[in-house]
Amino acid sequence: MDTTSVQAPKQLSKRIIPPQPLLSAAVVAGFVALLFVIEGVDTALGHTLDNDGVIPRDFSQWDNLIWYPLLHANWGHLTGNAVPLLVLGFLATSGGLKQFTQVTVVIWLTSGLGIWLVGSPASHIGASGLIFGYLAFLLVRGIFARAPWQIVVAVLVFAAYGWALWGVLPGQPGVSWEGHLFGALGGVLAAWGVARDSRRVTTSTPASLTM
């Protein structure tokens, strides 16, 4: 009886190291490199792309939800996001690149829709919503998946980046706390979804093996 295909999702949900670490590192580094290329183009265009962020409650520019995390106000804004994006993004690939893509989409859309619904009037841009989403995902996934080693990683991540969670609160001029807050909520939602899917596969094992 071959149970490999059934057990794989459960095993992936509890990993702390990506199954293909070099590929994961290359994908995350490639994404960050893309952000630098886009910022270079934006700089050459006189930062005209900065106006293409999420505009809260503006129905005419809903499509900005697609690319707002790719845009940054300046090089300082981007470099400040680059390192945590590399570290947290890599750790978030532990369940494989397919799962990482799904987690990223959930965080991306949750953050963007949250900004659109309750954000302050402005063009909201930057990858910090993704950073807060990955941070929240890493902090709670071990609890949902009942994975002790992931909880250990969560403690280490919190020790390194827990201070950043203050960014979900309002009061910092020019900072999209709404993007941070809803990005973090997206990370929690993604962690719950990953654990739920893993349990669903496990509980359906008998039916899937009646061949």
Side-chain angles (χ1 to χ4, degrees), residues 12-202:
L12 284 175
S13 71
K14 295 190 176 185
R15 290 184 64 96
I16 59 173
I17 300 297
Q20 297 177 290
L22 293 180
L23 179 59
S24 292
V27 169
V28 175
F31 177 71
V32 174
L34 174 63
L35 300 184
F36 277 90
V37 171
I38 293 174
E39 183 59 24
V41 172
D42 187 32
T43 300
L45 295 175
H47 294 283
T48 57
L49 297 181
D50 294 349
N51 296 321
D52 292 328
V54 176
I55 310 295
R57 297 166 296 282
D58 186 339
F59 285 94
S60 68
Q61 300 191 54
W62 62 268
D63 56 317
N64 290 358
L65 292 171
I66 299 173
W67 49 70
Y68 75 97
L70 305 177
L71 306 175
H72 290 80
N74 49 53
W75 291 108
H77 184 200
L78 174 55
T79 55
N81 282 340
V83 173
L85 192 58
L86 285 168
V87 174
L88 299 176
F90 175 76
L91 292 174
T93 65
S94 63
L97 291 177
K98 179 180 178 180
Q99 184 190 102
F100 173 69
T101 301
Q102 295 168 336
V103 167
T104 300
V105 169
V106 170
I107 295 170
W108 193 308
L109 293 180
T110 302
S111 179
L113 289 172
I115 292 170
W116 192 88
L117 287 171
V118 305
S120 57
S123 176
H124 294 249
I125 57 177
S128 55
L130 291 179
I131 293 170
F132 275 77
Y134 294 143
L135 176 59
F137 173 77
L138 293 168
L139 289 177
V140 304
R141 64 175 180 168
I143 298 172
F144 286 129
R146 301 183 181 92
W149 281 110
Q150 287 187 351
I151 294 175
V152 171
V153 171
V155 172
L156 297 176
V157 168
F158 182 79
Y161 291 104
W163 57 270
L165 292 174
W166 290 108
V168 304
L169 300 176
Q172 302 180 57
V175 175
S176 179
W177 65 270
E178 302 96 335
H180 297 172
L181 174 61
F182 283 95
L185 291 176
V188 173
L189 178 62
W192 171 80
V194 167
R196 183 204 58 179
D197 289 347
S198 174
R199 288 194 295 270
R200 178 181 295 172
V201 169
T202 302

